Amino acid sequence: FHNGQWAMSFSKMQLYETDIRIPFYINGPNIKQNIKTNIFATTIDIAPTILDIADIHLTQIDDGNEMDGKSLLKYAINTNDITHNDQTFFIEYNGMGMNSWEWMGIQSNIEGFNEAITDGWNNTYSCLRWINANNEQINYKYCKFKCFGEGMIETECEKESTEYKGEFFDLSTDPWEMINIYDELT
């Protein structure tokens, strides 16, 4: 997917759907075989779901804070029970920040490149993803990058750069995220 669509090296560290989407399969008591739901799940929903299946109802974790995420068990039992047609969630990634003199090159599959860097500080981003499960026309993602300068100190990104503006995609018309429509926003 990276080598073809975006001419990037391998890994799952980018903001694109091919990187952030993962299937969530679960098996357990009262869960019917071969059911599907269109509810979005995030990795923070896995622990609450497993605890719910085990009939363990934790409202707080050891440090007294509430557990992030939500149990998805009710959606696995009743696929018609999608009470949140509008779903919004946050995506965040902090680049590993390798120094250019320390990075270990990896074998590249991109023609003309023998090695590629796997990740860097400037691959740090936050995204807002929203979708309406019943209306495929509402399907967007906006991502904003953080930029770093000398000494890996966070700095303002170069004005008018993609990193400064961010990336905004209408996934209902551009499912491969090839057209950044940020400049079309009013």
Side-chain angles (χ1 to χ4, degrees):
F1 54 92
H2 280 181
N3 294 338
Q5 286 98 331
W6 296 288
M8 297 178 178
S9 64
F10 74 89
S11 73
K12 298 283 265 179
M13 298 179 244
Q14 304 301 324
L15 54 90
Y16 305 108
E17 293 292 291
T18 53
D19 286 21
I20 64 171
R21 281 190 172 232
I22 55 171
F24 184 51
Y25 296 97
I26 197 145
N27 187 6
N30 300 321
I31 298 176
K32 298 174 188 169
Q33 284 188 327
N34 301 319
I35 63 164
K36 294 180 181 179
T37 180
N38 62 354
I39 193 86
F40 267 82
T42 62
T43 54
I44 62 172
D45 300 325
I46 295 171
T49 303
I50 291 171
L51 290 170
D52 198 10
I53 290 170
D55 204 25
I56 298 171
H57 301 284
L58 282 180
T59 56
Q60 294 183 335
I61 51 179
D62 289 343
D63 62 4
N65 292 317
E66 289 189 23
M67 182 178 281
D68 289 332
K70 63 187 177 301
S71 172
L72 302 173
L73 181 60
K74 69 179 182 178
Y75 304 113
I77 292 171
N78 181 3
T79 58
N80 295 322
D81 186 14
I82 297 182
T83 55
H84 302 291
N85 291 329
D86 288 313
Q87 300 171 68
T88 306
F89 54 92
F90 186 66
I91 303 159
E92 184 173 52
Y93 180 76
N94 291 303
M96 296 184 330
M98 298 175 191
N99 294 318
S100 59
W101 60 89
E102 295 176 341
W103 67 273
M104 297 291 294
I106 57 167
Q107 192 65 31
S108 174
N109 294 335
I110 302 168
E111 188 174 335
F113 294 90
N114 294 327
E115 294 180 331
I117 299 174
T118 56
D119 200 16
W121 283 102
N122 284 351
N123 189 32
T124 296
Y125 56 84
S126 300
C127 303
L128 183 62
R129 178 77 168 87
W130 61 103
I131 187 168
N132 182 296
N134 295 326
N135 181 353
E136 293 182 10
Q137 299 303 309
I138 300 172
N139 190 0
Y140 300 103
K141 180 168 44 180
Y142 173 67
C143 300
K144 186 81 173 165
F145 292 89
K146 288 184 178 178
C147 291
F148 296 85
E150 195 72 30
M152 291 163 272
I153 306 278
E154 187 175 344
T155 62
E156 186 173 1
C157 297
E158 184 179 322
K159 295 240 189 269
E160 299 306 311
S161 67
T162 300
E163 291 81 8
Y164 178 79
K165 295 188 279 188
E167 295 190 17
F168 186 83
F169 298 103
D170 180 348
L171 294 147
S172 61
T173 60
D174 181 21
W176 295 108
E177 299 165 278
M178 302 299 287
I179 304 166
N180 181 1
I181 59 171
Y182 178 88
D183 289 329
E184 297 175 22
L185 300 175
T186 56

